[in-house]
């Protein structure tokens, strides 16, 4: 097995009820030409379908991971929890919120 010569980039999206924008956000990450990345979507107990949208993308692309909090977190705690999802091998991190796109 050969190591990938490109550095691993982690993309993080902490989301709470962002279903209106989430698919477009995820699509923008998937459309990038750089290919050595992992994507973690942290669902903060959304009630609007955000979880289902995220899970549908994770089912299609192994680089997309979905984690759901066990309780509704305040925004800063949600962001810090998202940062803790980064693999140790990751060299770079990009935060992309649900209403944003790359």
């Amino acid at each position: 097995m050969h190591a990938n010569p490109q550095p691993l980039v982690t993309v993080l999206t902490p989301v709470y009820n962002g279903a209106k924008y989430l698919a477009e956000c995820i699509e923008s990450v998937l459309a990038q030409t750089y290919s050595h990345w992992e994507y973690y979507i942290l669902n903060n107990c959304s009630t609007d379908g955000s979880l289902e949208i995220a899970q549908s993308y994770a089912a299609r692309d192994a680089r997309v991971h979905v984690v759901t909090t066990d309780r509704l977190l305040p925004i800063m705690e949600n962001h810090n929890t998202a940062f803790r999802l980064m693999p140790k091998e990751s060299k770079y991190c990009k935060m992309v919120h649900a209403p944003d796109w790359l």
Side-chain angles (χ1 to χ4, degrees):
M1 181 183 244
H2 299 286
N4 192 317
Q6 297 177 315
L8 178 63
V9 174
T10 297
V11 181
L12 302 171
T13 296
V15 61
Y16 172 70
N17 287 347
K20 180 176 179 180
Y21 307 104
L22 188 58
E24 185 176 17
C25 174
I26 296 169
E27 290 285 343
S28 78
V29 173
L30 295 174
Q32 298 305 301
T33 58
Y34 188 84
S35 61
H36 192 52
W37 53 265
E38 288 193 1
Y39 188 17
Y40 289 85
I41 302 166
L42 179 61
N43 174 52
N44 191 14
C45 295
S46 295
T47 59
D48 68 345
S50 294
L51 177 60
E52 293 78 12
I53 292 167
Q55 288 173 330
S56 72
Y57 282 95
R60 291 182 265 163
D61 192 317
R63 299 172 297 178
V64 179
H65 310 280
V66 179
V67 176
T68 298
T69 59
D70 59 356
R71 63 182 173 82
L72 183 62
L73 302 176
I75 191 166
M76 290 310 295
E77 188 176 349
N78 190 40
H79 283 72
N80 288 335
T81 301
F83 283 120
R84 284 193 290 276
L85 295 173
M86 279 183 54
K88 291 179 183 176
E89 305 78 34
S90 189
K91 176 123 177 149
Y92 301 104
C93 176
K94 174 64 179 166
M95 179 80 71
V96 183
H97 296 95
D100 300 333
W101 48 270
L102 298 176

